[in-house]
Amino acid sequence: MCRLMASIFKLKRTDEMLEYLPEEVLIQILCRLPLKSILKFTCVCKLWNCIIKTPHFISAFSSNELHRYFFLRHSYYSNQYSLRFDNKHLDHYLPLHPPFHQVDGDAFHMVGCSNGLVCLYCNSRNHFIYNHFIIWNPSIRKSLRIPEASFFCLGLSSKKLFGFGYDSRTSDYKLLVARFLFDSTCEVTLYSLSSNYRKKIKNVACKYRQGNRCLIDSSFVDGRFYWLITKEKNLVLVFDLRDEMFGEISLPECLEYVDMSYLKLKAVGESSIAIIHQNKWDSSYESDIWVMKEYNSGAWMKLATVGKRWSGSSTVLEFRDDGEVLVQFYNTPRLASYNINNGRIKNLMALDSNYERVLAYRHVESLALLDKGNDIWITPR
């Protein structure tokens, strides 16, 4: 394939390229190349530039899942971001420069990471700057910002939900913003990235009364948003894009009344979710992994317990392609890969200190936002 592309480069005129290689074949070849090469090929000629920046090509490349990474956010003492290729040793590393300048009082939270795009929420204490969302493609270093005020009139509201995901049925990225009021009513807005259109979701039957947290970090699987919430007991709140309605899923009985701060929700594969429960034993932590057997069945299966006492405190970060899980150990600060079947631990990388906390999300390379301006501020219609 590389030899073929090199021979194409030798041709000087666009019409010679078309005569040498049909456009349909050219698209199939380009879709299978590394993202860095594709970006370089936008400078070859106007034709290639136009092809690569079309929504059809961007969507076709995004469906190519040959380039799998982990998006890592190093929080607490080091607010850093990076991409690591999900190979055997996790040693292919790319540092990232976030598309914002953090000032005192600003807090950036992860909303979601889906099909190559990352969504962050900025909670600013500066009254002259609205709270806003940042949709960022770290692979091509492009981003856009959406003011939170575009979704509803800000004021003294009770609770908010945020969710971000790629809807493969419509080949579109969706940002869900919901506000739950004290009288048990709610406002729900669904934003479409491709059309820059916000849609008010009406007749939403959902009551979320207890708690006072802003539920930001969500999981998106197979057209559904998932959040962990607490009402009379812990459960999973679901928003399905198919019928645009909320629903609830029960947790395993042993997790219904545990402290919510010890629970984490993660996507597993293309159709299921998992609940990670951190158990405290003396001064160490282990993580139980519970996987939902079938959507809305309420049936869960305990997959594994990760991190034995002799390994020190640990937490599960994300699931890997090879069936292992990415784990952070605190006593000897490092990231490791844990084999669920045999319990073996393979060290991958050292961390700066045992106070460093890492967030990890499955990530693929994408050309999304390539056809849009860089770091622009948009107001949805």
Side-chain angles (χ1 to χ4, degrees):
M1 184 178 297
C2 293
R3 290 180 180 177
L4 177 60
M5 299 307 295
S7 64
I8 295 176
F9 267 128
K10 294 179 181 179
L11 300 175
K12 297 181 179 179
R13 294 179 54 190
T14 301
D15 55 348
E16 291 177 346
M17 292 181 186
L18 287 172
E19 190 174 324
Y20 181 82
L21 195 65
E23 184 174 324
E24 294 77 11
V25 177
L26 177 62
I27 291 176
Q28 291 299 318
I29 295 175
L30 289 174
C31 279
R32 289 165 172 78
L33 294 178
L35 182 140
K36 286 185 177 180
S37 299
I38 293 178
L39 295 179
K40 292 179 180 178
F41 292 159
T42 59
C43 302
V44 171
C45 63
K46 290 183 178 180
L47 172 66
W48 286 27
N49 186 285
C50 292
I51 289 175
I52 292 172
K53 291 186 178 181
T54 60
H56 171 71
F57 183 84
I58 291 174
S59 177
F61 180 83
S62 297
S63 64
N64 180 9
E65 299 184 353
L66 298 177
H67 317 290
R68 290 188 174 273
Y69 289 81
F70 283 117
F71 176 85
L72 302 181
R73 175 180 177 177
H74 303 253
S75 55
Y76 282 74
Y77 290 102
S78 58
N79 190 21
Q80 300 175 352
Y81 300 82
S82 64
L83 286 179
R84 285 190 175 268
F85 188 66
D86 189 15
N87 59 5
K88 184 177 180 180
H89 300 290
L90 213 67
D91 53 359
H92 184 170
Y93 170 76
L94 177 65
L96 299 175
H97 301 285
F100 54 82
H101 176 66
Q102 188 165 359
V103 298
D104 292 340
D106 286 353
F108 289 87
H109 310 277
M110 286 291 302
V111 176
C113 184
S114 183
N115 207 50
L117 291 189
V118 176
C119 184
L120 301 170
Y121 174 67
C122 175
N123 185 9
S124 176
R125 296 181 183 179
N126 188 337
H127 298 293
F128 298 99
I129 302 177
Y130 287 116
N131 295 343
H132 59 275
F133 301 92
I134 298 176
I135 298 179
W136 173 31
N137 186 334
S139 299
I140 64 174
R141 300 180 181 180
K142 279 198 171 185
S143 63
L144 56 85
R145 305 182 184 216
I146 307 173
E148 184 185 1
S150 299
F151 295 93
F152 40 66
C153 295
L154 299 180
L156 296 176
S157 60
S158 53
K159 294 156 284 286
K160 287 179 282 190
L161 289 176
F162 302 143
F164 179 76
Y166 178 75
D167 187 358
S168 59
R169 298 175 301 119
T170 59
S171 299
D172 192 8
Y173 293 88
K174 302 291 180 63
L175 172 62
L176 183 142
V177 180
R179 180 174 66 163
F180 295 81
L181 308 177
F182 289 111
D183 59 359
S184 300
T185 62
C186 60
E187 297 177 284
V188 181
T189 303
L190 196 62
Y191 169 72
S192 163
L193 179 61
S194 64
S195 63
N196 189 33
Y197 179 75
R198 53 179 179 147
K199 176 183 179 182
K200 295 288 186 181
I201 307 299
K202 299 180 180 179
N203 302 319
V204 180
C206 180
K207 294 183 179 181
Y208 175 53
R209 301 179 61 92
Q210 188 174 343
N212 195 29
R213 297 189 303 137
C214 182
L215 297 180
I216 295 175
D217 190 7
S218 65
S219 291
F220 184 82
V221 184
D222 193 25
R224 301 182 181 96
F225 294 99
Y226 296 87
W227 301 266
L228 279 170
I229 68 168
T230 299
K231 292 173 72 172
E232 290 78 13
K233 58 184 179 181
N234 299 330
L235 49 84
V236 177
L237 181 67
V238 186
F239 183 85
D240 197 325
L241 289 176
R242 295 168 180 83
D243 57 14
E244 297 182 346
M245 295 291 291
F246 282 98
E248 296 176 355
I249 299 176
S250 300
L251 291 183
E253 291 185 3
C254 62
L255 304 181
E256 290 181 341
Y257 297 101
V258 303
D259 189 333
M260 182 68 77
S261 61
Y262 293 104
L263 297 179
K264 182 192 308 181
L265 190 151
K266 280 289 182 180
V268 181
E270 302 298 328
S271 60
S272 189
I273 58 172
I275 303 297
I276 315 297
H277 175 218
Q278 270 196 311
N279 285 310
K280 185 174 183 180
W281 299 92
D282 297 328
S283 59
S284 299
Y285 290 92
E286 298 175 353
S287 296
D288 293 332
I289 303 177
W290 293 83
V291 177
M292 185 173 63
K293 290 184 178 180
E294 185 178 352
Y295 175 72
N296 210 23
S297 65
W300 296 82
M301 174 185 67
K302 187 175 181 180
L303 183 63
T305 298
V306 178
K308 303 300 181 183
R309 297 189 200 181
W310 54 266
S311 301
S313 294
S314 64
T315 184
V316 173
L317 298 179
E318 189 56 275
F319 293 87
R320 304 190 69 185
D321 285 336
D322 57 8
E324 297 187 359
V325 291
L326 190 65
V327 182
Q328 178 179 359
F329 288 95
Y330 299 124
N331 292 10
T332 53
R334 67 193 191 279
L335 292 187
S337 189
Y338 186 96
N339 190 308
I340 292 176
N341 296 322
N342 56 30
R344 293 179 180 175
I345 300 173
K346 177 174 58 182
N347 291 332
L348 298 176
M349 58 177 288
L351 300 175
D352 292 338
S353 71
N354 57 355
Y355 295 104
E356 185 174 2
R357 297 294 185 268
V358 176
L359 301 177
Y361 301 85
R362 294 170 64 87
H363 185 81
V364 294
E365 287 186 331
S366 170
L367 292 172
L369 303 186
L370 184 63
D371 55 342
K372 302 182 184 299
N374 188 37
D375 197 20
I376 58 176
W377 183 281
I378 65 172
T379 301
R381 292 182 286 111

